[in-house]
Amino acid sequence: MLAGSNARILRYIVVAGIILIFFYHFSGSRYDTLPRPVPAPDHAQAASQPSPPNDEATTAGRPVDSTQKSIPADRDRPNSGFPKSVSASTDAAASTLADIDPGPRANATFVSLARNADVWDIARSIRQVEDRFNRRFNYDWVFLNDKPFDDNFRNITSALVSGTARFGQIPVEHWSVPDWIDEDKATKVREDMKERKIIYGDSMSYRHMCRFESGFFFQHPIMKNYDFYWRVEPSIELFCDIAQDPFRFMKENGKKYSFTISLLEYVDTIPTLWDSAVKFIENYPQHVAADNSMEFLSDDGGQTYNMCHFWSNFEIGSLEWMRSDAYVDFFNSLDQDGGFFYERWGDAPVHSIAAGLLLNKTELHFFDEIAYFHMPFTHCPNDVQSRIDLKCHCNPKDNFDWSRYSCTSRYFEMMGMQKPDGVD
Ligand SMILES: Nc1nc2c(ncn2[C@@H]2O[C@H](COP(=O)(O)OP(=O)(O)O)[C@@H](O)[C@H]2O)c(=O)[nH]1
Ligand SMILES: [Mg+2]
């Protein structure tokens, strides 16, 4: 009897042991696929130059001494280097991006121009950028505003940004009407555009915004700490994981300007922009690149503009290029002609014409893998396997690239790039 119950107890122990081993094994392998925490950067390292009095930096809501040194470019991380690919999607552990070492960083920042009232819309954008990319890389984020940022804006945004959040006020001379502009003439233009129902045609603040983004954002003292920028607007979406660092890609491949969406500009907003560009070419032939992208901008060898431009609400670009004599001469030349106020020149065609004329083709880049939405257009990568590997949630049917209003097809032709099957 006693021997029988001992044997039963022994059987219970053996069965319990097997169950324990079974649970340990399966729950353990599941936890292995959770992201490893990425070591946070040393947030105590901030700007390498003293910031102006209005500018402050915070990290997760905590004030940071903005007079301290910036994070050095290319700070080495242990085991740095790009993964060959992230395509091992059936291997759950390998597909966890946090397991892939991010590699050395570029000296770069996100930048958002925003009003205090934009706080929730920019918060949505930040969350997307952090989740899809920056939680692994911890790049800084610069917020610029023509008015002082309020505490609510500062607290909400800096809690979301994994790098250092920095806040700058725009100097009044970068957000006002220059003295060579005839204000009566500019007022009449706005009234006329209002009647003709041209989008933002009667808005003065939109004009300041376009002029600031065209010629001044890269000159802000906070931006002078960085070599590359990534512009983020309120209410954008990112549909895919960004596995490799676009900043590092730009730097290592000599890229100066990049895009995800291109399209045709609304003619009535820029009737004389091309005339100004042609005048610039005549006055500054030394700034025009030998292997420029005139084919992208013009269908008749430069006589007229075909309205093609890169959509500048997304851009990753070189601040060094923007601060070069070539770009600054280009902007000043356009600015003197007054079209930011006498018409409604957008920063997108201004940046695009500059990139097309001043840069060699090899310095431009199309980021196919950055799946992006800004009302009302979407870029969704064509390749099925890439969408799976990068955990994309965009519907490829929404992709704008091959629409007749997009200029991406023309870009592919100029660059000799292969278009997807079925696209002509
Ligand atoms: N500080 C500030 N930012 C502005 C103002 N107007 C527009 N912006 C910002 O400029 C960018 C472009 O404006 P948005 O309204 O998105 O223009 P859209 O994308 O062309 O329709 C966004 O980042 C806005 O937050 C303004 O008057 N002040
Ligand atoms: Mg916008």
Side-chain angles (χ1 to χ4, degrees):
M1 184 71 189
L2 203 60
S5 76
N6 273 349
R8 210 167 39 242
I9 288 168
L10 196 64
R11 268 203 311 278
Y12 284 150
I13 289 170
V14 170
V15 170
I18 289 168
I19 289 170
L20 270 176
I21 289 166
F22 180 83
F23 273 106
Y24 178 81
H25 176 76
F26 279 95
S27 59
S29 63
R30 198 148 32 87
Y31 292 140
D32 282 346
T33 65
L34 286 175
R36 278 192 285 113
V38 177
D42 181 1
H43 292 310
Q45 304 170 52
S48 63
Q49 293 170 11
S51 296
N54 270 327
D55 304 328
E56 288 167 29
T58 61
T59 297
R62 283 175 286 112
V64 167
D65 179 354
S66 56
T67 60
Q68 287 173 313
K69 294 273 173 256
S70 68
I71 296 170
D74 288 342
R75 184 184 52 177
D76 281 335
R77 292 173 188 256
N79 307 320
S80 65
F82 270 124
K84 286 267 181 314
S85 133
V86 289
S87 65
S89 59
T90 48
D91 176 348
S95 72
T96 304
L97 281 180
D99 288 342
I100 300 168
D101 193 282
R105 299 157 89 257
N107 183 25
T109 185
F110 291 93
V111 60
S112 297
L113 174 68
R115 298 156 284 213
N116 287 313
D118 292 323
V119 62
W120 296 113
D121 293 330
I122 200 70
R124 277 173 54 198
S125 299
I126 299 168
R127 188 68 263 161
Q128 304 245 348
V129 172
E130 288 291 337
D131 288 349
R132 289 297 198 170
F133 170 69
N134 203 40
R135 69 193 168 95
R136 295 172 54 232
F137 293 85
N138 315 131
Y139 282 105
D140 294 352
W141 206 304
V142 176
F143 298 92
L144 299 174
N145 189 354
D146 55 307
K147 309 241 165 46
F149 280 115
D150 60 27
D151 286 347
N152 185 52
F153 189 99
R154 288 164 187 264
N155 292 338
I156 305 279
T157 54
S158 50
L160 293 170
V161 173
S162 61
T164 299
R166 305 172 66 75
F167 301 88
Q169 195 172 336
I170 296 166
V172 71
E173 61 273 21
H174 291 173
W175 198 276
S176 46
V177 182
D179 56 15
W180 61 88
I181 295 297
D182 175 344
E183 297 219 30
D184 288 343
K185 183 175 162 186
T187 305
K188 287 200 183 81
V189 168
R190 291 199 300 279
E191 287 165 1
D192 174 57
M193 284 198 174
K194 184 177 184 177
E195 262 175 38
R196 290 159 59 210
K197 297 194 177 5
I198 293 174
I199 184 169
Y200 300 121
D202 62 338
S203 169
M204 195 61 186
S205 65
Y206 197 83
R207 284 181 169 78
H208 286 311
M209 183 276 285
C210 291
R211 182 168 175 257
F212 176 77
E213 293 286 19
S214 296
F216 301 120
F217 80 93
F218 49 86
Q219 291 184 9
H220 193 281
I222 302 181
M223 296 302 288
K224 293 203 171 151
N225 294 305
Y226 302 100
D227 300 331
F228 290 92
Y229 71 99
W230 178 335
R231 176 166 162 185
V232 177
E233 286 208 357
S235 301
I236 60 127
E237 279 195 67
L238 289 182
F239 298 109
C240 303
D241 284 347
I242 298 171
Q244 301 190 356
D245 182 350
F247 288 128
R248 188 177 162 201
F249 175 87
M250 298 285 289
K251 181 183 153 84
E252 293 185 347
N253 293 282
K255 302 290 182 187
K256 304 277 171 61
Y257 192 84
S258 65
F259 72 101
T260 55
I261 291 174
S262 72
L263 73 166
L264 297 170
E265 181 57 303
Y266 187 10
V267 186
D268 287 345
T269 62
I270 54 163
T272 68
L273 175 59
W274 191 250
D275 297 341
S276 275
V278 169
K279 192 161 108 190
F280 166 82
I281 295 171
E282 284 161 9
N283 291 339
Y284 295 93
Q286 72 277 20
H287 288 330
V288 178
D291 186 26
N292 61 62
S293 304
M294 187 60 94
E295 293 163 71
F296 179 74
L297 301 171
S298 174
D299 299 341
D300 51 19
Q303 282 187 17
T304 58
Y305 180 37
N306 61 18
M307 304 291 142
C308 277
H309 65 284
F310 307 122
W311 214 23
S312 63
N313 48 61
F314 167 95
E315 44 185 23
I316 302 175
S318 159
L319 290 162
E320 221 178 7
W321 170 57
M322 290 261 162
R323 292 189 284 252
S324 69
D325 286 350
Y327 187 87
V328 170
D329 287 343
F330 176 77
F331 170 74
N332 286 339
S333 174
L334 263 50
D335 199 27
Q336 285 294 325
D337 290 341
F340 291 106
F341 298 98
Y342 298 145
E343 296 176 5
R344 210 225 62 200
W345 292 354
D347 52 279
V350 170
H351 285 186
S352 304
I353 293 173
L357 295 180
L358 309 179
L359 298 177
N360 287 312
K361 290 189 189 101
T362 51
E363 296 171 308
L364 304 179
H365 186 65
F366 168 57
F367 270 114
D368 186 32
E369 69 273 31
I370 301 185
Y372 175 77
F373 170 82
H374 175 293
M375 192 74 179
F377 300 123
T378 295
H379 166 69
C380 185
N382 187 63
D383 184 61
V384 182
Q385 189 59 49
S386 302
R387 290 203 305 273
I388 289 169
D389 292 343
L390 298 173
K391 304 187 192 317
C392 303
H393 70 281
C394 52
N395 182 344
K397 290 201 180 112
D398 295 335
N399 184 25
F400 180 68
D401 294 359
W402 316 115
S403 136
R404 55 197 277 253
Y405 300 108
S406 165
C407 295
T408 299
S409 190
R410 178 186 301 266
Y411 179 86
F412 269 54
E413 282 159 23
M414 174 179 80
M415 302 301 255
M417 290 161 65
Q418 177 86 39
K419 292 184 211 170
D421 289 346
V423 173
D424 33 68

